[in-house]
């Protein structure tokens, strides 16, 4: 019997759960499903991300610099939505790249990179 993959849910580091949930709701269109002072779960359609608080100390580093790629069938509508939300700037859209994608990306408040990618 073959394994059936249901979903992947990245867990991104956060310095401030309340601030970051608010940002993901306003700037990326996610809705909060669960939140406490250490952890949050957000969803948009069939995409799910988790935020986990870190103190940004030697014992509990924030790390930052995580990268998440969201593959879509049509990148233009989500680009236009996030442009309208003020999440990105128009020049971030890269159409028909040399690696056969159209894509754009941005950083969240913890320096995690988020890319929306359409394979061409």
């Amino acid at each position: 019997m073959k394994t059936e993959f249901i979903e992947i849910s990245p867990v991104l580091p956060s310095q401030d759960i309340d601030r970051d949930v608010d940002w993901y709701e306003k700037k990326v269109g996610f809705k909060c499903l669960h939140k406490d002072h250490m952890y949050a779960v957000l969803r948009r359609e069939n995409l799910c991300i988790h935020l986990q608080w870190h103190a940004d100390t030697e014992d509990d580093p924030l790390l930052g610099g995580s990268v998440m790629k969201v593959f879509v069938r049509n990148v233009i509508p989500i680009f236009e939505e996030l442009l309208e939300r003020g999440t990105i700037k128009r020049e971030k859209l890269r159409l028909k790249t040399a690696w056969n994608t159209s894509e754009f990306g941005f950083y969240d408040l913890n320096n995690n990179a988020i890319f929306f990618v359409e394979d061409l």
Side-chain angles (χ1 to χ4, degrees):
M1 177 182 257
K2 223 173 141 177
T3 299
E4 179 183 355
F5 295 97
I6 305 300
E7 106 180 343
I8 188 168
S9 297
V11 179
L12 302 176
S14 170
Q15 263 185 319
D16 184 326
I17 294 293
D18 289 333
R19 175 198 71 185
D20 296 340
V21 165
D22 184 58
W23 188 87
Y24 272 94
E25 287 180 335
K26 289 179 181 169
K27 297 293 188 175
V28 195
F30 278 81
K31 298 294 179 210
C32 185
L33 302 178
H34 165 79
K35 180 179 78 161
D36 60 33
H37 69 286
M38 300 285 288
Y39 204 85
V41 179
L42 300 105
R43 180 173 290 281
R44 178 174 175 156
E45 296 180 29
N46 62 340
L47 304 177
C48 191
I49 59 171
H50 297 231
L51 302 174
Q52 183 172 357
W53 182 82
H54 291 276
D56 201 16
T57 64
E58 187 175 321
D59 293 333
D60 186 21
L62 182 64
L63 299 178
S66 296
V67 178
M68 178 173 63
K69 288 191 173 191
V70 179
F71 288 85
V72 299
R73 285 200 175 83
N74 186 357
V75 77
I76 298 300
I78 187 66
F79 174 77
E80 290 174 351
E81 176 190 327
L82 298 183
L83 187 64
E84 186 175 310
R85 289 176 181 267
T87 309
I88 55 165
K89 297 194 181 323
R90 185 162 300 281
E91 61 270 13
K92 294 297 182 180
L93 182 62
R94 300 177 71 189
L95 297 173
K96 299 180 183 173
T97 64
W99 47 94
N100 210 28
T101 67
S102 288
E103 60 185 65
F104 67 91
F106 55 90
Y107 293 96
D108 74 4
L109 300 174
N110 297 290
N111 211 31
N112 297 302
I114 301 166
F115 289 90
F116 285 83
V117 181
E118 177 183 2
D119 283 323
L120 300 177

